[in-house]
Amino acid sequence: DLTYHLSKLLQQKQNLYFTKSNQFQILYSIKERIAFTTPINSISNSNSNSISNSNSNSISNSNSNPIQCQTFDLPNCQQLSFTTEGFDCVEPIFQPSLLGLEIASLQQAIIDSISKCDQNQQKNLFRNIIISGGNTIFSGFIERLNSELSKLTNNSTIIRLIAPPERKFSVWLGGLAVATSPNFQQMWISKSQFNECGSSIILSKSF
């Protein structure tokens, strides 16, 4: 959890403690304000990767997120200053080992998932990677992910990241679309059905 990780960073670097439940929202707001990833340099190889928003406009790589001092005003009017904390907060997404986790990084998980698909479809999947979730709105996130994926693929692989402006809520919007579908009630599973058939009923109802 990046918010918890940020609380640890602030304890270590600034002797700031957010331990009470009513302080969690403040910590969450700090994370949204200061969190960013490192900028990426222009890719020097022939890999013609692109990043697209919902209008399919190309977003060029640039040094738009240099490490610089950022401030946050607490409710008591105390002003906090941050430099590398924002970067350190996000970095475990790309290097989980920083949190002692033995799991694949985001970029490696994407590569592994696509590699398990039909080989004839892999090129198409690399060209249609849809980004969603609250952590993807951090400054520089899309550019950083594009750079990390490029390091793990060959020069002939075209990577296209699709980053809708509403991606923070994409999962919920998808759930809304399913819930308002006329056929949604047919997908419901009652407690008695689950008790009778077990978890296998999920597959029969969903596919």
Side-chain angles (χ1 to χ4, degrees), residues 62-161:
S62 64
N63 293 331
S64 58
N65 299 308
I67 295 178
Q68 55 186 330
C69 182
Q70 301 180 77
T71 61
F72 184 89
D73 294 326
L74 294 175
N76 63 2
C77 297
Q78 178 186 359
Q79 187 177 78
L80 304 178
S81 297
F82 308 97
T83 51
T84 61
E85 291 89 347
F87 163 72
D88 293 336
C89 171
V90 180
E91 192 61 15
I93 294 178
F94 305 101
Q95 296 188 65
S97 60
L98 294 174
L99 296 183
L101 300 175
E102 296 182 358
I103 60 175
S105 62
L106 175 60
Q107 64 271 21
Q108 188 62 58
I110 293 173
I111 296 294
D112 292 345
S113 296
I114 293 178
S115 298
K116 293 178 181 178
C117 297
D118 189 301
Q119 191 170 2
N120 294 327
Q121 296 298 323
Q122 290 181 14
K123 288 185 177 180
N124 187 45
L125 292 173
F126 274 115
R127 292 189 182 100
N128 293 277
I129 301 175
I130 300 176
I131 307 301
S132 68
N135 289 340
T136 69
I137 66 174
F138 294 146
S139 178
F141 182 91
I142 304 302
E143 291 82 358
R144 172 67 183 278
L145 179 58
N146 185 68
S147 176
E148 296 297 333
L149 289 172
S150 298
K151 296 174 185 177
L152 298 176
T153 55
N154 57 49
N155 292 344
S156 63
T157 302
I158 299 175
I159 298 173
R160 178 171 173 262
L161 305 182

Side-chain angles (χ1 to χ4, degrees), residues 186 189 197-207:
Q186 300 176 15
I189 300 172
C197 303
S199 59
S200 61
I201 195 174
I202 297 176
L203 294 177
S204 65
K205 283 278 187 175
S206 302
F207 300 95

